[in-house]
Coordinates of all heavy atoms in Angstrom, one line a residue:
M6 N -5.9 -6.3 -38.4 CA -6.9 -6.6 -37.5 C -7.1 -5.4 -36.6 O -6.2 -4.7 -36.2 CB -6.5 -7.8 -36.6 CG -7.5 -8.1 -35.5 SD -7.3 -9.8 -35.0 CE -8.6 -10.7 -35.7
G7 N -8.3 -4.9 -36.4 CA -8.7 -3.7 -35.6 C -8.5 -3.9 -34.1 O -8.3 -5.0 -33.6
K8 N -8.6 -2.8 -33.5 CA -8.4 -2.8 -32.0 C -9.7 -3.5 -31.4 O -10.8 -3.2 -31.7 CB -8.3 -1.4 -31.5 CG -8.0 -1.4 -30.0 CD -7.7 0.1 -29.5 CE -7.6 0.2 -28.1 NZ -7.2 1.5 -27.6
S9 N -9.4 -4.4 -30.5 CA -10.6 -5.2 -29.9 C -11.2 -4.3 -28.7 O -10.4 -3.6 -27.9 CB -10.1 -6.5 -29.3 OG -11.1 -7.1 -28.5
N10 N -12.4 -4.3 -28.5 CA -13.2 -3.6 -27.5 C -13.5 -4.6 -26.4 O -14.3 -4.3 -25.5 CB -14.4 -3.0 -28.0 CG -14.2 -1.8 -28.9 OD1 -13.1 -1.2 -28.7 ND2 -15.0 -1.6 -29.9
T11 N -13.0 -5.8 -26.4 CA -13.3 -6.9 -25.4 C -12.5 -6.4 -24.1 O -11.3 -6.2 -24.2 CB -12.8 -8.3 -25.9 OG1 -13.5 -8.5 -27.1 CG2 -13.2 -9.3 -24.8
I12 N -13.1 -6.5 -23.0 CA -12.6 -6.3 -21.7 C -12.4 -7.6 -20.9 O -13.4 -8.3 -20.7 CB -13.5 -5.3 -20.9 CG1 -13.6 -3.9 -21.6 CG2 -12.9 -5.1 -19.5 CD1 -14.5 -3.0 -21.0
N13 N -11.3 -7.8 -20.5 CA -11.0 -9.0 -19.6 C -11.4 -8.6 -18.2 O -10.7 -7.7 -17.6 CB -9.6 -9.4 -19.6 CG -9.2 -10.7 -18.9 OD1 -9.9 -10.9 -17.8 ND2 -8.3 -11.4 -19.3
I14 N -12.4 -9.1 -17.6 CA -13.0 -8.7 -16.3 C -12.0 -8.9 -15.2 O -11.8 -8.1 -14.3 CB -14.4 -9.5 -16.1 CG1 -15.4 -9.1 -17.0 CG2 -14.8 -9.2 -14.7 CD1 -15.7 -7.6 -17.1
Q15 N -11.2 -10.1 -15.3 CA -10.3 -10.3 -14.2 C -9.1 -9.3 -14.2 O -8.8 -8.8 -13.2 CB -9.7 -11.8 -14.4 CG -8.8 -12.2 -13.3 CD -9.5 -12.3 -12.0 OE1 -10.7 -12.7 -11.9 NE2 -8.7 -12.1 -10.9
D16 N -8.7 -8.9 -15.4 CA -7.6 -7.9 -15.5 C -8.2 -6.6 -15.0 O -7.4 -5.9 -14.4 CB -7.1 -7.8 -17.0 CG -6.2 -9.0 -17.4 OD1 -5.8 -9.8 -16.5 OD2 -6.0 -9.1 -18.6
Y17 N -9.4 -6.2 -15.4 CA -10.0 -5.0 -15.0 C -10.0 -4.9 -13.5 O -9.7 -3.9 -12.9 CB -11.4 -4.8 -15.6 CG -12.2 -3.7 -15.0 CD1 -11.8 -2.4 -15.4 CD2 -13.1 -3.8 -14.1 CE1 -12.5 -1.3 -14.9 CE2 -13.8 -2.8 -13.6 CZ -13.6 -1.6 -14.0 OH -14.1 -0.4 -13.4
K18 N -10.5 -6.0 -12.8 CA -10.6 -6.0 -11.3 C -9.2 -5.8 -10.7 O -9.1 -5.1 -9.7 CB -11.3 -7.2 -10.9 CG -12.8 -7.3 -11.2 CD -13.4 -8.5 -10.6 CE -15.0 -8.5 -10.9 NZ -15.5 -9.8 -10.5
I19 N -8.3 -6.5 -11.2 CA -6.9 -6.4 -10.7 C -6.4 -5.1 -10.8 O -5.8 -4.4 -9.9 CB -6.0 -7.4 -11.3 CG1 -6.4 -9.0 -10.8 CG2 -4.5 -7.2 -10.9 CD1 -5.7 -10.0 -11.6
N20 N -6.5 -4.5 -12.0 CA -6.0 -3.1 -12.3 C -6.7 -2.1 -11.4 O -6.1 -1.2 -10.9 CB -6.1 -2.8 -13.8 CG -5.2 -3.5 -14.7 OD1 -4.1 -4.1 -14.2 ND2 -5.5 -3.6 -15.9
R21 N -8.0 -2.3 -11.2 CA -8.8 -1.4 -10.4 C -8.3 -1.4 -9.0 O -8.1 -0.4 -8.3 CB -10.3 -1.7 -10.5 CG -11.1 -0.7 -9.7 CD -12.6 -1.2 -9.5 NE -12.5 -2.4 -8.7 CZ -13.4 -3.4 -8.8 NH1 -14.3 -3.3 -9.6 NH2 -13.2 -4.5 -8.0
D22 N -8.1 -2.6 -8.5 CA -7.6 -2.8 -7.1 C -6.3 -2.1 -6.8 O -6.0 -1.5 -5.9 CB -7.6 -4.3 -6.7 CG -8.9 -4.9 -6.6 OD1 -9.9 -4.1 -6.5 OD2 -9.0 -6.1 -6.5
Y23 N -5.3 -2.4 -7.8 CA -4.0 -1.8 -7.7 C -4.0 -0.3 -7.8 O -3.3 0.5 -7.1 CB -3.0 -2.3 -8.7 CG -2.4 -3.7 -8.3 CD1 -2.7 -4.8 -9.0 CD2 -1.6 -3.8 -7.2 CE1 -2.2 -6.1 -8.6 CE2 -1.1 -5.0 -6.7 CZ -1.4 -6.1 -7.5 OH -0.9 -7.3 -7.1
Y24 N -4.9 0.2 -8.6 CA -5.1 1.7 -8.8 C -5.6 2.3 -7.4 O -5.0 3.2 -6.9 CB -6.1 2.0 -9.9 CG -6.4 3.4 -10.0 CD1 -5.5 4.3 -10.6 CD2 -7.6 4.0 -9.5 CE1 -5.8 5.7 -10.7 CE2 -7.9 5.3 -9.6 CZ -7.0 6.2 -10.2 OH -7.3 7.5 -10.4
N25 N -6.5 1.6 -6.8 CA -7.1 2.0 -5.5 C -6.0 2.0 -4.4 O -5.9 2.9 -3.6 CB -8.3 1.3 -5.2 CG -9.5 1.6 -6.0 OD1 -9.6 2.6 -6.7 ND2 -10.5 0.7 -6.1
I26 N -5.3 0.9 -4.4 CA -4.2 0.8 -3.4 C -3.1 1.9 -3.6 O -2.7 2.5 -2.6 CB -3.5 -0.6 -3.6 CG1 -4.4 -1.7 -3.1 CG2 -2.1 -0.7 -2.7 CD1 -4.0 -3.1 -3.4
G27 N -2.9 2.3 -4.8 CA -1.9 3.3 -5.1 C -2.4 4.7 -4.6 O -1.6 5.5 -4.2
L28 N -3.7 4.9 -4.8 CA -4.3 6.2 -4.3 C -4.2 6.3 -2.8 O -3.8 7.4 -2.3 CB -5.8 6.2 -4.8 CG -6.1 6.5 -6.2 CD1 -7.6 6.4 -6.5 CD2 -5.6 7.9 -6.6
V29 N -4.5 5.2 -2.1 CA -4.5 5.2 -0.6 C -3.0 5.4 -0.2 O -2.7 6.3 0.7 CB -5.1 3.9 -0.1 CG1 -4.8 3.8 1.4 CG2 -6.6 3.9 -0.4
I30 N -2.1 4.7 -0.7 CA -0.7 4.8 -0.3 C -0.2 6.3 -0.7 O 0.5 6.9 0.1 CB 0.2 3.8 -1.0 CG1 -0.2 2.4 -0.4 CG2 1.7 4.0 -0.9 CD1 0.5 1.2 -1.1
G31 N -0.5 6.7 -1.8 CA -0.1 8.1 -2.2 C -0.6 9.2 -1.3 O 0.1 10.1 -0.8
A32 N -1.9 9.0 -0.9 CA -2.5 9.9 0.1 C -1.9 9.9 1.4 O -1.5 10.9 2.1 CB -4.0 9.7 0.2
L33 N -1.6 8.7 1.9 CA -0.9 8.5 3.2 C 0.5 9.1 3.2 O 0.9 9.7 4.1 CB -0.9 7.0 3.5 CG -0.3 6.6 4.9 CD1 -1.0 7.3 6.0 CD2 -0.3 5.1 5.1
R34 N 1.2 8.8 2.1 CA 2.5 9.4 2.0 C 2.4 10.9 2.0 O 3.3 11.6 2.7 CB 3.2 9.0 0.7 CG 4.6 9.5 0.5 CD 5.2 9.0 -0.8 NE 6.5 9.7 -1.0 CZ 7.2 9.5 -2.0 NH1 6.9 8.8 -3.0 NH2 8.4 10.1 -2.0
A35 N 1.5 11.5 1.3 CA 1.4 13.0 1.3 C 1.2 13.5 2.7 O 1.7 14.6 3.2 CB 0.3 13.4 0.3
E36 N 0.2 12.8 3.5 CA -0.1 13.3 4.9 C 1.1 13.1 5.8 O 1.4 13.9 6.6 CB -1.2 12.4 5.4 CG -2.6 12.7 4.7 CD -3.1 14.0 4.8 OE1 -2.9 14.6 5.9 OE2 -3.5 14.7 3.8
L37 N 1.9 12.0 5.5 CA 3.2 11.8 6.3 C 4.2 13.0 6.1 O 4.8 13.4 6.9 CB 3.7 10.5 6.0 CG 3.1 9.3 6.6 CD1 3.5 8.0 6.0 CD2 3.3 9.2 8.1
E38 N 4.3 13.3 4.8 CA 5.3 14.3 4.3 C 4.9 15.7 4.9 O 5.7 16.5 5.2 CB 5.4 14.3 2.8 CG 6.1 13.1 2.3 CD 6.2 13.1 0.8 OE1 5.6 14.0 0.1 OE2 6.9 12.2 0.3
N39 N 3.6 16.0 4.9 CA 3.2 17.4 5.4 C 3.0 17.4 6.9 O 2.7 18.5 7.4 CB 2.1 17.9 4.6 CG 0.7 17.3 5.0 OD1 0.5 16.8 6.1 ND2 -0.2 17.5 4.1
G40 N 3.2 16.3 7.5 CA 3.1 16.2 9.0 C 1.8 16.1 9.6 O 1.7 16.2 10.9
S41 N 0.8 15.9 8.9 CA -0.6 15.9 9.5 C -0.9 14.4 10.1 O -1.8 14.3 10.8 CB -1.7 16.3 8.5 OG -1.6 15.5 7.4
V42 N -0.1 13.5 9.7 CA -0.2 12.1 10.2 C 1.2 11.7 10.7 O 2.1 11.9 10.1 CB -0.7 11.1 9.2 CG1 -0.6 9.7 9.6 CG2 -2.1 11.4 8.7
S43 N 1.3 11.2 12.0 CA 2.5 10.8 12.5 C 3.0 9.4 12.0 O 2.1 8.6 11.6 CB 2.5 10.8 14.0 OG 1.7 9.8 14.5
I44 N 4.2 9.1 12.0 CA 4.7 7.8 11.5 C 4.1 6.7 12.4 O 3.8 5.6 12.0 CB 6.2 7.8 11.4 CG1 6.6 6.5 10.6 CG2 6.8 7.8 12.7 CD1 6.4 6.5 9.2
E45 N 4.0 7.0 13.7 CA 3.4 6.0 14.6 C 2.0 5.6 14.3 O 1.6 4.5 14.4 CB 3.5 6.5 16.1 CG 4.9 6.5 16.6 CD 5.6 7.9 16.3 OE1 4.9 8.8 15.8 OE2 6.8 8.0 16.5
D46 N 1.2 6.5 13.9 CA -0.2 6.3 13.5 C -0.3 5.4 12.3 O -1.0 4.5 12.2 CB -0.9 7.7 13.2 CG -1.2 8.4 14.5 OD1 -1.2 7.8 15.6 OD2 -1.4 9.6 14.4
A47 N 0.6 5.7 11.3 CA 0.7 4.9 10.0 C 1.2 3.5 10.4 O 0.6 2.6 9.8 CB 1.5 5.6 9.0
Y48 N 2.2 3.4 11.3 CA 2.7 2.1 11.7 C 1.7 1.2 12.3 O 1.6 0.1 12.2 CB 3.9 2.3 12.6 CG 4.6 1.0 13.0 CD1 5.4 0.4 12.1 CD2 4.4 0.5 14.2 CE1 6.2 -0.7 12.5 CE2 5.1 -0.6 14.7 CZ 5.9 -1.2 13.8 OH 6.6 -2.4 14.2
N49 N 0.8 1.9 13.1 CA -0.3 1.1 13.8 C -1.3 0.6 13.0 O -2.1 -0.3 13.4 CB -0.9 2.0 14.9 CG 0.0 2.3 16.0 OD1 0.9 1.5 16.4 ND2 0.0 3.4 16.7
L50 N -1.4 1.1 11.7 CA -2.4 0.5 10.8 C -1.9 -0.9 10.3 O -2.8 -1.6 9.8 CB -2.5 1.4 9.5 CG -3.1 2.8 9.8 CD1 -3.0 3.7 8.5 CD2 -4.6 2.6 10.2
L51 N -0.7 -1.1 10.4 CA -0.2 -2.4 9.9 C -0.6 -3.6 10.8 O -0.7 -3.5 12.0 CB 1.4 -2.4 9.8 CG 1.9 -1.2 9.0 CD1 3.4 -1.2 9.1 CD2 1.5 -1.4 7.5
T52 N -0.5 -4.8 10.3 CA -0.8 -6.0 11.1 C 0.4 -6.4 11.8 O 1.5 -5.9 11.4 CB -1.2 -7.2 10.1 OG1 -0.1 -7.5 9.2 CG2 -2.5 -6.9 9.3
D53 N 0.3 -7.3 12.9 CA 1.3 -7.7 13.6 C 2.4 -8.4 12.8 O 3.6 -8.3 13.1 CB 0.9 -8.6 14.8 CG 0.2 -7.8 15.8 OD1 0.4 -6.5 15.9 OD2 -0.6 -8.4 16.6
K54 N 1.9 -9.2 11.9 CA 2.9 -10.0 10.9 C 3.8 -9.0 10.2 O 5.0 -9.3 10.1 CB 2.0 -10.9 10.0 CG 2.9 -11.8 9.2 CD 2.0 -12.7 8.3 CE 2.8 -13.6 7.5 NZ 2.0 -14.5 6.7
V55 N 3.2 -8.0 9.6 CA 4.0 -7.0 8.9 C 4.9 -6.2 9.8 O 6.1 -6.0 9.5 CB 3.1 -6.0 8.1 CG1 3.8 -4.9 7.5 CG2 2.2 -6.8 7.1
K56 N 4.5 -5.9 11.0 CA 5.3 -5.2 12.0 C 6.5 -6.1 12.4 O 7.6 -5.6 12.5 CB 4.5 -4.8 13.3 CG 3.5 -3.7 13.0 CD 2.8 -3.5 14.3 CE 1.6 -2.5 14.1 NZ 0.8 -2.3 15.3
N57 N 6.3 -7.3 12.5 CA 7.3 -8.3 13.0 C 8.3 -8.3 11.8 O 9.6 -8.4 12.0 CB 6.9 -9.6 13.3 CG 6.1 -9.6 14.6 OD1 6.4 -8.8 15.5 ND2 5.2 -10.5 14.8
S58 N 7.9 -8.4 10.5 CA 8.7 -8.4 9.4 C 9.6 -7.2 9.3 O 10.8 -7.3 9.1 CB 7.9 -8.6 8.1 OG 8.7 -8.6 7.0
I59 N 9.0 -6.0 9.6 CA 9.7 -4.8 9.5 C 10.8 -4.8 10.7 O 12.0 -4.4 10.4 CB 8.8 -3.5 9.7 CG1 7.9 -3.5 8.4 CG2 9.6 -2.3 10.0 CD1 6.8 -2.4 8.6
M60 N 10.4 -5.2 11.9 CA 11.4 -5.2 13.0 C 12.6 -6.2 12.6 O 13.7 -5.9 12.9 CB 10.7 -5.7 14.2 CG 9.9 -4.7 14.8 SD 9.1 -5.2 16.4 CE 9.4 -3.8 17.4
G61 N 12.3 -7.3 12.0 CA 13.3 -8.3 11.6 C 14.3 -7.6 10.6 O 15.5 -7.8 10.7
D62 N 13.7 -6.9 9.6 CA 14.6 -6.3 8.6 C 15.4 -5.2 9.3 O 16.6 -5.0 8.9 CB 13.7 -5.6 7.5 CG 13.1 -6.7 6.6 OD1 13.6 -7.9 6.7 OD2 12.2 -6.4 5.8
L63 N 14.8 -4.4 10.1 CA 15.5 -3.4 10.8 C 16.7 -3.9 11.7 O 17.8 -3.4 11.8 CB 14.6 -2.5 11.7 CG 13.8 -1.5 10.9 CD1 12.7 -0.8 11.8 CD2 14.5 -0.5 10.2
S64 N 16.4 -5.1 12.4 CA 17.5 -5.6 13.2 C 18.6 -6.1 12.4 O 19.7 -6.1 12.8 CB 16.8 -6.7 14.2 OG 16.5 -7.8 13.3
C65 N 18.3 -6.6 11.2 CA 19.4 -7.1 10.3 C 20.2 -5.9 9.8 O 21.4 -6.1 9.6 CB 18.8 -7.8 9.1 SG 18.1 -9.4 9.4
L66 N 19.6 -4.7 9.7 CA 20.3 -3.6 9.2 C 20.9 -2.7 10.4 O 21.6 -1.8 10.1 CB 19.4 -2.6 8.4 CG 18.8 -3.3 7.1 CD1 17.8 -2.4 6.6 CD2 19.9 -3.4 6.1
G67 N 20.6 -3.1 11.6 CA 21.2 -2.4 12.7 C 20.4 -1.2 13.1 O 20.8 -0.3 13.8
G68 N 19.1 -1.2 12.7 CA 18.2 0.0 13.1 C 17.5 -0.3 14.4 O 17.6 -1.3 14.9
A69 N 16.6 0.7 14.7 CA 15.8 0.5 15.9 C 14.4 0.7 15.6 O 14.0 1.5 14.7 CB 16.2 1.5 16.9
A70 N 13.6 -0.1 16.2 CA 12.1 0.1 16.0 C 11.4 0.1 17.4 O 11.9 -0.6 18.3 CB 11.5 -1.0 15.1
R71 N 10.3 0.8 17.5 CA 9.6 0.7 18.8 C 8.5 -0.3 18.8 O 7.9 -0.7 17.9 CB 8.8 2.1 19.0 CG 9.8 3.1 19.3 CD 8.9 4.4 19.8 NE 9.4 5.5 19.1 CZ 8.9 6.7 19.3 NH1 7.8 6.8 19.9 NH2 9.4 7.7 18.7

């Protein structure tokens, strides 16, 4: 049986979204590593729910968060 040229639209959309998310995260990481973006600025992009989750994880590990 030959290779199918059928595209599953749902899979395509999911893969495209993950690819775009990866690009954004990669660019943000690069900016953090070269110092053009501060960690506080990146942290402020997060929702309160995510910030609370991070603070909870840090408190379990004995870390500190602002």
Side-chain angles (χ1 to χ4, degrees):
M6 180 163 254
K8 186 175 178 181
S9 174
N10 290 330
T11 304
I12 298 173
N13 183 331
I14 298 299
Q15 186 67 28
D16 287 344
Y17 170 77
K18 287 180 180 178
I19 290 169
N20 290 339
R21 183 194 63 208
D22 290 346
Y23 279 115
Y24 176 78
N25 291 339
I26 290 168
L28 284 176
V29 171
I30 290 173
L33 182 57
R34 180 179 177 184
E36 294 297 317
L37 285 165
E38 287 177 355
N39 73 23
S41 57
V42 172
S43 70
I44 191 72
E45 290 85 10
D46 292 336
Y48 182 77
N49 288 331
L50 293 173
L51 302 173
T52 63
D53 289 338
K54 186 176 180 179
V55 173
K56 289 177 186 177
N57 289 336
S58 176
I59 291 171
M60 287 183 137
D62 289 347
L63 286 174
S64 67
C65 289
L66 296 173
R71 288 190 224 175

